[in-house]
Amino acid sequence: KQVVEGIPYLFDAVYNPRATELVQTARANGAAATGGMAMLVWQAAVAHEIWDGVTYDPEIIHSLVNEMEDYVEHDFGK
């Protein structure tokens, strides 16, 4: 079992399930925790900004993260 105490922030690179046991435990212990889908979407957006000079509103990125988490959960379970 994962034990997470005294950690204010946690990132888990796993994106399915959206909230792994590690993320759930961290949140239960008061940490701000996120899973891997945020990394996948943000790195794609930042790469697109670098390559094409496009900028994205962070709210759009957060929306895409949620949309992709829903998509993965629906199509691949967990």
Side-chain angles (χ1 to χ4, degrees):
K1 180 159 174 117
Q2 305 287 344
V3 177
V4 181
E5 294 179 14
I7 297 174
Y9 306 100
L10 181 122
F11 168 75
D12 189 347
V14 175
Y15 59 87
N16 187 23
R18 110 178 28 201
T20 63
E21 184 178 346
L22 177 62
V23 169
Q24 291 174 28
T25 302
R27 288 176 180 163
N29 284 285
T34 190
M37 187 60 72
M39 178 190 70
L40 290 175
V41 173
W42 275 100
Q43 67 84 27
V46 170
H48 196 231
E49 288 178 346
I50 292 168
W51 295 334
D52 297 327
V54 179
T55 57
Y56 295 98
D57 181 330
E59 291 302 314
I60 298 287
I61 302 302
H62 289 295
S63 177
L64 286 170
V65 169
N66 291 330
E67 183 180 333
M68 293 309 300
E69 286 176 333
D70 289 343
Y71 173 79
V72 168
E73 193 171 78
H74 177 267
D75 285 1
F76 300 102
K78 294 235 177 171

